[in-house]
Amino acid sequence: MKTKMKNAILLSALSLLLIACGGEENKKDDSKITVGGTNTEATSEESEDKMTADNESDVIELSLEGNDQMKYNKKRLRAKAGAEVELTFKHVGEMSKQAMGHNFVLLKKGTDIMEFGEKAAGAVDNDYIPEDTDAIIAHTEMLGGGESTVLKFTAPTEKGEYDFICSFPGHVALMKGKFIVN
Ligand SMILES: [Cu+2]
């Protein structure tokens, strides 16, 4: 009888412990959800890019998508000054290059992106990449739905924020972001 009682006490003590631990874990989870909830997409985006930027390997791998809603999936890309960048750019939509073409054009500091967009719109025969400009640091080809490409280039050596845009006519209004060099 005595051992049975001992066991019973032990068991209830154990279950109390378990309940206590469980409660704490739930609390932790709750706080996590609250933090994530306040800052939806940007948080995961940011941490993902940070991880890439902190990577000590020689080549910085970045990715970017464009869709049929005329949007990029990221507003910021990050790279270290002078680093070799390998950007995988994908058009995840289904629309044609003629109707909803997307590219990635990285522009030098001080470029007026709306002005550049207007100029690019005139370069119909060159996939909307103006030929008489020195504002472009690097650019991909124009893609249609389902296509993807990899662009290799050297990040600017000067730290700061650079603009990237899609130069398809009218897209710069929505398809623009910051390429952050640190
Ligand atoms: Cu576009």
Side-chain angles (χ1 to χ4, degrees):
M1 274 298 267
K2 269 188 181 174
T3 44
K4 261 192 183 172
M5 266 185 70
K6 258 190 188 171
N7 281 342
I9 290 164
L10 259 171
L11 263 173
S12 56
L14 261 173
S15 54
L16 270 173
L17 260 171
L18 280 172
I19 289 162
C21 288
E24 230 169 80
E25 248 181 342
N26 279 339
K27 266 186 199 167
K28 270 184 197 163
D29 282 355
D30 281 350
S31 64
K32 256 185 207 166
I33 288 163
T34 324
V35 170
T38 52
N39 210 343
T40 52
E41 261 181 57
T43 314
S44 60
E45 200 180 286
E46 198 111 31
S47 57
E48 190 186 305
D49 286 342
K50 248 190 188 172
M51 267 173 58
T52 320
D54 286 345
N55 195 335
E56 290 299 324
S57 69
D58 294 329
V59 178
I60 295 179
E61 288 179 22
L62 299 173
S63 65
L64 181 68
E65 292 173 3
N67 63 21
D68 282 346
Q69 282 71 49
M70 209 198 288
K71 279 183 177 163
Y72 287 132
N73 68 332
K74 291 178 183 173
K75 289 188 167 67
R76 283 177 294 272
L77 294 170
R78 291 170 198 276
K80 280 184 179 163
E84 291 305 311
V85 177
E86 218 174 277
L87 172 74
T88 302
F89 178 55
K90 191 173 185 194
H91 190 321
V92 296
E94 291 174 356
M95 290 172 77
S96 71
K97 177 175 145 178
Q98 287 72 30
M100 184 58 72
H102 296 318
N103 64 5
F104 164 92
V105 183
L106 181 61
L107 298 167
K108 285 185 184 167
K109 272 186 191 173
T111 306
D112 183 321
I113 60 170
M114 298 312 282
E115 208 173 278
F116 181 89
E118 268 172 44
K119 196 174 192 180
V124 188
D125 297 333
N126 198 40
D127 265 358
Y128 303 111
I129 295 295
E131 285 172 290
D132 55 340
T133 179
D134 61 354
I136 299 173
I137 295 169
H139 72 88
T140 67
E141 62 202 278
M142 191 68 72
L143 302 182
E147 295 179 327
S148 71
T149 187
V150 176
L151 173 69
K152 293 179 186 178
F153 64 98
T154 306
T157 50
E158 193 187 326
K159 293 179 183 179
E161 290 189 2
Y162 297 73
D163 290 300
F164 67 85
I165 64 153
C166 172
S167 71
F168 192 92
H171 286 201
V172 65
L174 285 174
M175 298 187 76
K176 58 190 171 188
K178 296 288 182 190
F179 188 90
I180 299 162
V181 175
N182 48 27

